[in-house]
Amino acid sequence: MPELSVGQFSLVANMLSFSIAAMGATTLFLWLCRGQVASPYRIAVTLSGIVTFIAFYHYWRIYNSWTEAYTVVDGVITATGLPFNDAYRYVDWLLTVPLLLVELILVMRLSAQETFTKSVRLGLLALLMVALGYPGEISDVNSTRLLWWSLSMLPFLWIVFELFVGLRKAIDAQPPAARSLISKVRYLTIAAWAFYPIVFLFPMIGFTGPQAETFIQIGYSIADVVAKALIGILIFVIALKKSETEVKA
Amino acid sequence: MPELSVGQFSLVANMLSFSIAAMGATTLFLWLCRGQVASPYRIAVTLSGIVTFIAFYHYWRIYNSWTEAYTVVDGVITATGLPFNDAYRYVDWLLTVPLLLVELILVMRLSAQETFTKSVRLGLLALLMVALGYPGEISDVNSTRLLWWSLSMLPFLWIVFELFVGLRKAIDAQPPAARSLISKVRYLTIAAWAFYPIVFLFPMIGFTGPQAETFIQIGYSIADVVAKALIGILIFVIALKKSETEVKA
């Protein structure tokens, strides 16, 4: 474990606790307010809450693992020897990343056929992206890390292509009230996701130690809160706008 | 850690437990009774419950941190050496203070455009206010504290201006039954919030030690219960009154 200062340890603990609160609060909000959107959008909103709930669970585990890996007594920090299990993040992503793409597809309310095809395709690509990253993440050998990073980038770029080219027609066909917001959700998703492959490269360019660890934990937490909680709220707003348009029409 | 008496330690522990109970109870009340208000106000009422839920979570953490920082055995109090993490308060405020302003905007039921603009502006100002306070809070240097206090006061004053000048027209346009109550919520919010920058100044005027710590913990708890639980109940009452007026009309 890197030799953190008390300040670094606390900052990460506070940020992990912030994520627990943000994910839990978003989950409850989405589930309680799903009745506010029209029936066809309720699955998308519920699913957005499922994603933040899964993240809530994993942040709880990550927080406990972090606070068990160190003790602070009389202002002095010591590693307890217990491992900090960062792999909970990969377990979380395996579930949440495919579902995030499915909630975006669902709120667009395409035909049943298109919804199925695009959800399966994007979901499998996302699963592949996370799974291919893992062998690199647990390796200390730079060439191995680079290999798996490159393999993982292929489905990532394919997802970007699908979101911007494959979905273009479907987004143009959205009602005007929701169109620009759906488009923004795509950009925000890709911007938040871009953080992960960049962080992955850190150990390979020599950015390690306590500062790197602190930065990585805080960065992952912010990227997760944006990609899951903020996107979830935006999916709800899109569903609300589309419900109003369709009731009025 | 300051050398508290057993009485001071217990008083703070009891006050923190009071806050857990008050926040948890308000959360459940707001969520259980949201069906009593008309549909357009349910998001505001649910959100008020989300705010008290986030505070409930953080008071749980603060209470545990407080009771782990001291032990009382045979009437003698000893510091355990474990740190009391007061920063949970800042983590809480980062989430709840922007949301508190959003719930006030939502219950006014302005146009979609105004709701969005005002929520984003007030939300970001609130976020900035809390974030700028933090570097000062964790510093022991008076000039550093004063710098961040002053910076944090700028968004605070801007929020006061927005609430009293920016919202004046919108408040005048509210139905008579709800108008004066919405106006009072503004005053109560600002009155409760004024407590925080005052407390922030305490260490700089030499008010430290066990008495100051006891006073600060109790003061923060009361201010939080007023600003979140009491305001949340008032938001519910406003929503109820507006629902009745609109059904009658």
Side-chain angles (χ1 to χ4, degrees):
Chain A
M1 297 295 301
E3 290 195 6
L4 298 170
S5 71
V6 173
Q8 288 168 332
F9 167 77
S10 305
L11 191 60
V12 171
N14 290 332
M15 194 64 214
L16 294 172
S17 178
F18 170 86
S19 307
I20 293 174
M23 298 298 188
T26 308
T27 304
L28 289 166
F29 177 81
L30 292 171
W31 288 350
L32 288 167
C33 289
R34 61 196 280 279
Q36 300 298 115
V37 306
S39 172
Y41 299 108
R42 280 185 204 152
I43 296 181
V45 170
T46 310
L47 193 62
S48 303
I50 294 286
V51 165
T52 49
F53 174 74
I54 297 171
F56 165 79
Y57 165 78
H58 285 113
Y59 269 95
W60 198 283
R61 290 259 181 235
I62 295 169
Y63 174 89
N64 286 351
S65 182
W66 181 259
T67 51
E68 283 161 11
Y70 295 96
T71 46
V72 177
V73 178
D74 293 330
V76 177
I77 185 167
T78 331
T80 57
L82 297 174
F84 170 54
N85 183 5
D86 211 13
Y88 285 128
R89 295 194 179 279
Y90 273 83
V91 180
D92 179 86
W93 297 335
L94 269 181
L95 287 162
T96 54
V97 176
L99 292 178
L100 274 166
L101 294 173
V102 174
E103 66 186 62
L104 179 63
I105 299 295
L106 283 179
V107 86
M108 292 178 70
R109 204 180 168 195
L110 310 172
S111 71
Q113 181 56 40
E114 260 190 304
T115 301
F116 181 78
T117 326
K118 288 196 189 295
S119 295
V120 169
R121 188 187 306 155
L122 284 168
L124 286 178
L125 284 170
L127 198 65
L128 198 65
M129 173 176 80
V130 177
L132 288 173
Y134 186 71
E137 177 68 46
I138 57 167
S139 164
D140 290 329
V141 183
N142 274 353
S143 58
T144 312
R145 284 187 78 88
L146 189 63
L147 170 72
W148 293 105
W149 181 86
S150 312
L151 289 175
S152 175
M153 282 306 280
L154 298 177
F156 178 72
L157 294 174
W158 193 347
I159 291 169
V160 175
F161 176 81
E162 285 287 336
L163 288 185
F164 286 88
V165 180
L167 284 183
R168 190 187 296 152
K169 261 195 193 166
I171 288 176
D172 287 344
Q174 291 292 306
R179 198 183 300 145
S180 94
L181 205 52
I182 290 184
S183 181
K184 275 181 200 137
V185 165
R186 279 187 311 181
Y187 283 102
L188 197 59
T189 302
I190 294 303
W193 286 15
F195 186 79
Y196 303 90
I198 294 170
V199 168
F200 193 97
L201 294 171
F202 283 173
M204 296 155 69
I205 55 168
F207 187 40
T208 53
Q211 267 193 312
E213 180 69 22
T214 308
F215 179 84
I216 290 171
Q217 292 304 326
I218 291 172
Y220 273 157
S221 304
I222 293 173
D224 276 347
V225 169
V226 170
K228 298 182 176 81
L230 186 57
I231 297 274
I233 300 290
L234 290 176
I235 294 283
F236 173 75
V237 174
I238 291 168
L240 204 59
K241 283 192 172 194
K242 290 184 79 176
S243 304
E244 282 163 10
T245 319
E246 283 160 27
V247 168
K248 272 185 207 146
Chain B
M1 297 295 301
E3 290 194 5
L4 299 170
S5 71
V6 174
Q8 287 168 331
F9 166 76
S10 303
L11 189 60
V12 171
N14 291 332
M15 194 64 214
L16 293 173
S17 178
F18 168 88
S19 307
I20 294 174
M23 298 297 187
T26 308
T27 304
L28 289 168
F29 175 80
L30 292 171
W31 289 350
L32 289 168
C33 289
R34 62 200 277 276
Q36 302 301 115
V37 306
S39 173
Y41 298 109
R42 276 182 207 152
I43 296 180
V45 171
T46 310
L47 194 62
S48 304
I50 292 286
V51 166
T52 49
F53 171 74
I54 296 170
F56 167 79
Y57 166 78
H58 285 113
Y59 269 96
W60 197 283
R61 290 255 184 237
I62 296 169
Y63 174 88
N64 285 351
S65 185
W66 182 259
T67 51
E68 283 163 11
Y70 295 96
T71 45
V72 178
V73 178
D74 295 330
V76 177
I77 185 167
T78 331
T80 58
L82 297 175
F84 170 55
N85 185 4
D86 211 14
Y88 284 128
R89 295 194 180 279
Y90 273 81
V91 180
D92 178 86
W93 298 335
L94 269 181
L95 287 163
T96 54
V97 176
L99 292 179
L100 275 165
L101 294 173
V102 173
E103 68 186 60
L104 179 62
I105 300 294
L106 283 179
V107 85
M108 292 178 72
R109 204 183 167 193
L110 310 172
S111 71
Q113 183 56 42
E114 261 190 304
T115 301
F116 181 79
T117 325
K118 289 195 189 294
S119 295
V120 168
R121 187 187 307 157
L122 284 169
L124 287 179
L125 283 171
L127 199 65
L128 197 66
M129 174 176 78
V130 176
L132 288 173
Y134 185 71
E137 178 68 45
I138 58 166
S139 164
D140 292 328
V141 183
N142 274 352
S143 58
T144 310
R145 285 187 76 88
L146 188 64
L147 171 72
W148 292 105
W149 181 86
S150 314
L151 290 175
S152 176
M153 283 306 280
L154 298 176
F156 178 72
L157 294 174
W158 193 346
I159 290 170
V160 174
F161 176 80
E162 285 287 336
L163 288 184
F164 286 89
V165 180
L167 284 183
R168 191 187 296 152
K169 260 196 194 166
I171 288 177
D172 287 344
Q174 291 292 306
R179 198 183 300 146
S180 92
L181 204 51
I182 291 184
S183 181
K184 275 181 199 136
V185 165
R186 281 187 310 181
Y187 283 103
L188 195 59
T189 302
I190 294 303
W193 286 15
F195 186 78
Y196 304 89
I198 295 171
V199 168
F200 193 97
L201 294 171
F202 284 174
M204 295 155 70
I205 53 168
F207 186 42
T208 53
Q211 268 193 314
E213 180 68 23
T214 308
F215 179 84
I216 289 171
Q217 292 305 325
I218 292 172
Y220 274 157
S221 303
I222 293 172
D224 275 348
V225 169
V226 170
K228 297 181 176 82
L230 186 56
I231 297 275
I233 300 291
L234 290 176
I235 295 284
F236 173 75
V237 174
I238 291 168
L240 204 59
K241 284 192 171 195
K242 289 184 79 174
S243 303
E244 282 163 9
T245 319
E246 282 159 29
V247 168
K248 273 185 207 145

